Amino acid sequence: MELKKEIRIAISGKSGCGNTTVSGLLARKLGIKLINYTFRQLAEEKGMTLKEVIEAAKNDDSYDKYVDAHQVELALKESCVLGSRLAIWMLKEADLKVYLYASDDTRASRIFNREGGSLEEIKSFTAMRDSEDTRRYKEFYGIDNNDYSFVDLVIDTANYNPEQITDLIIQELKKRDLI
């Protein structure tokens, strides 16, 4: 696909919404870079294990803040899809901001299908993780990740598969004369 200009697309959603899958698929279809910089990449760069980074981050906000800032830094360098929990809030320069939504039950079911385990435990863990994420984002940045009313496109991912979601985003990019 031909880009009409350098573009940046920010995609956010809670765990189990398809954020990683859709972001990767969209970047491939558009032929642009996918940016999804996480604790895993940070651990690799620092010569630490993922577990060590997660443990350190519990008592040191700088890990989260570095990952969040570094993603934006990378996104500003070239056309890209930035897929992260905070992309739509952090990448103010995004040409298109997309929020992927799914109900708690849908998200838990997807995580269960992907990882196995106990559906009830996944529901409980996912609710705890959502709550903890919301607390941290408010504390660190004053962001309410439950308020995505400002985005350009909200997609309920329960109604579509990843290919269809990607096509909806591409339609929006065409409508905005970006591709």
Side-chain angles (χ1 to χ4, degrees), residues 8 33-37 45 67-80 82 91:
R8 286 161 188 83
K33 185 171 188 157
L34 169 65
I35 297 173
N36 188 353
Y37 186 84
E45 288 176 13
V67 166
D68 296 334
H70 191 58
Q71 287 189 102
V72 172
E73 218 176 85
L74 292 170
L76 293 175
K77 290 182 179 180
E78 62 188 300
S79 288
C80 66
L82 174 59
L91 187 58

Side-chain angles (χ1 to χ4, degrees), residues 13-106:
K14 294 181 179 182
S15 62
C17 282
N19 186 25
T20 304
T21 303
V22 169
S23 295
L25 196 54
L26 182 64
R28 278 192 302 281
K29 278 192 172 187
L30 295 176
I32 60 178
K33 185 171 188 157
L34 169 65
I35 297 173
N36 188 353
Y37 186 84
T38 65
F39 274 175
R40 191 175 306 281
Q41 284 86 6
L42 179 62
E44 212 172 277
E45 288 176 13
K46 288 186 165 287
M48 298 168 72
T49 66
L50 178 59
K51 186 176 180 183
E52 288 170 335
V53 170
I54 290 169
E55 281 303 311
K58 286 181 180 177
N59 303 309
D60 184 349
D61 299 348
S62 69
Y63 287 87
D64 276 287
K65 291 178 180 176
Y66 175 78
V67 166
D68 296 334
H70 191 58
Q71 287 189 102
V72 172
E73 218 176 85
L74 292 170
L76 293 175
K77 290 182 179 180
E78 62 188 300
S79 288
C80 66
V81 175
L82 174 59
S84 79
R85 300 262 195 294
L86 290 178
I88 61 173
W89 290 275
M90 301 295 279
L91 187 58
K92 304 208 181 314
E93 301 81 359
D95 297 285
L96 183 67
K97 294 180 180 182
V98 180
Y99 188 81
L100 302 180
Y101 169 82
S103 70
D104 293 346
D105 284 344
T106 298

Side-chain angles (χ1 to χ4, degrees), residues 77-145:
K77 290 182 179 180
E78 62 188 300
S79 288
C80 66
V81 175
L82 174 59
S84 79
R85 300 262 195 294
L86 290 178
I88 61 173
W89 290 275
M90 301 295 279
L91 187 58
K92 304 208 181 314
E93 301 81 359
D95 297 285
L96 183 67
K97 294 180 180 182
V98 180
Y99 188 81
L100 302 180
Y101 169 82
S103 70
D104 293 346
D105 284 344
T106 298
R107 294 185 308 120
S109 178
R110 286 182 180 159
I111 294 166
F112 172 76
N113 289 335
R114 182 176 68 211
E115 299 172 11
S118 156
L119 185 56
E120 285 311 310
E121 284 177 20
I122 290 170
K123 283 182 181 181
S124 176
F125 178 79
T126 302
M128 180 277 300
R129 183 178 182 186
D130 289 347
S131 174
E132 181 59 21
D133 285 351
T134 297
R135 183 197 63 75
R136 280 193 354 268
Y137 303 155
K138 279 184 182 170
E139 180 185 321
F140 292 172
Y141 307 113
I143 289 172
D144 177 359
N145 69 325

Side-chain angles (χ1 to χ4, degrees), residues 161-176:
N161 67 39
E163 284 281 344
Q164 292 169 320
I165 295 166
T166 302
D167 289 343
L168 289 170
I169 296 168
I170 288 171
Q171 286 172 18
E172 185 65 25
L173 290 167
K174 287 178 180 175
K175 192 170 104 181
R176 291 168 180 266

